[in-house]
Each structure stands twice: as structure tokens, then as C-alpha cells.
Amino acid sequence: MINRTRSMILAVFAITPALLMPRAVAATTEATHAVTVTFTSLTGKAILAPHCELKTGNTYLRTSGAKKVVGFKPKMTCDEIMDTISLTGQMYAVVGGTTTTHGEAPTSTNAGQVSVENKQIGYNCDGTENTVWFGRASVNAVWRGIPQAAVVDSPTATLPCGV
């Protein structure tokens, strides 16, 4: 929750707990994990605001020549123009019950638009052993001067991409 005392408005996200926990989903099924943004005044009354969703898509393994990369492509879409939208993605591997980050965490940014997609997220595999992977998308957006933030994980996938 972000409290902007100047505007006297709270930005609140309605996030279903399942959105924050990675889970297994078949690689051919499109992920519907999404975060919906809701704005509420300090008095608790809902105010008119754009409907926004942050979708992760699936965790997948792509090949480009002999190079293997695991990644995902999150996208934030709103039904109204946002001041700015920044979308950062990071890959995570789960090995022996421990979750660790891998690769860079690139950010895609858009200003004065309704959406942004990040297609730059990936980790170059260090081997072919099966590993559980998921991506985490973090969005920071501003609508009419009101900052927003949300995090959502892509579905997990066991892929022949070692760390």
C-alpha cells in the first residue's frame, strides 16, 4: 500500500494469493496469472480509475541456434493511458528446495501509453539437467500522479536448463 498524503489517495492492489505462489502449469497452456489494480480513497470509497492487469505468460525454454535460454514475457495493460509504466522481470530456479535468482533483471518502460511488455527476460542455461524455473514480474506505474506497484510470478516449469 502506498500512502500519498498530497493527493490523499491510497493505491491498493487486489492480489489473489495464488498469484504470488509459483505453481506447475503445462507449458502449452497460456497463463492467466494477473494482478488487477484498484484505487481507494483514504475514506475507503472506491474512486474511478483505470482497470489494469499484469499478465506473466508461461515460463518457457527457447532456442536460438545452439544457445538455450529460459524466460517469460510479462505484460501490463490498462484501459486508460498511464503516466509511466516500468516492468522488470527476473528468472528464478528452484534447486534442492532453495530459490535463487539467475540472469539479469531487465526493465521495459513506457510513458503516456496503456501497456508495456518485457521481452528481454532470460537466463542462458549452464547445462541440460532438469530444473524448476519461474519468472517474477515487478511493475511500477504512475496514473495521474499516483504511484502503483505489483509483483506476480509466472507458472513454474521443469525444463532441461541447468544453473
Side-chain angles (χ1 to χ4, degrees):
M1 236 183 280
I2 300 168
N3 183 350
R4 298 260 312 177
T5 52
R6 271 192 249 155
S7 64
M8 298 301 290
I9 295 174
L10 292 176
V12 179
F13 289 88
I15 302 175
T16 305
L19 298 176
L20 300 177
M21 300 297 296
R23 61 186 179 98
V25 172
T28 57
T29 304
E30 180 59 30
T32 57
H33 291 63
V35 174
T36 300
V37 179
T38 306
F39 295 94
T40 306
S41 70
L42 286 177
T43 61
K45 295 181 181 179
I47 62 171
L48 293 178
H51 172 80
C52 296
E53 286 188 342
L54 172 57
K55 293 185 178 182
T56 65
N58 289 318
T59 306
Y60 66 98
L61 184 63
R62 62 181 186 248
T63 57
S64 176
K67 186 176 178 182
K68 288 190 176 183
V69 176
V70 64
F72 77 119
K73 295 178 185 173
K75 183 174 184 176
M76 172 82 161
T77 304
C78 299
D79 65 4
E80 190 174 311
I81 291 174
M82 303 297 282
D83 299 348
T84 60
I85 309 171
S86 294
L87 182 56
T88 302
Q90 178 71 59
M91 293 309 304
Y92 288 81
V94 182
V95 178
T98 302
T99 302
T100 55
T101 61
H102 292 277
E104 301 295 318
T107 299
S108 292
T109 303
N110 232 341
Q113 301 294 318
V114 295
S115 67
V116 67
E117 185 173 18
N118 193 329
K119 296 180 179 181
Q120 306 164 348
I121 305 159
Y123 171 72
N124 294 323
C125 305
D126 286 337
T128 57
E129 60 275 359
N130 282 338
T131 305
V132 175
W133 289 95
F134 69 95
R136 180 164 290 156
S138 303
V139 67
N140 290 297
V142 178
W143 175 72
R144 296 186 183 176
I146 304 166
Q148 311 165 45
V151 175
V152 65
D153 290 346
S154 68
T156 61
T158 301
L159 302 167
C161 176
V163 295

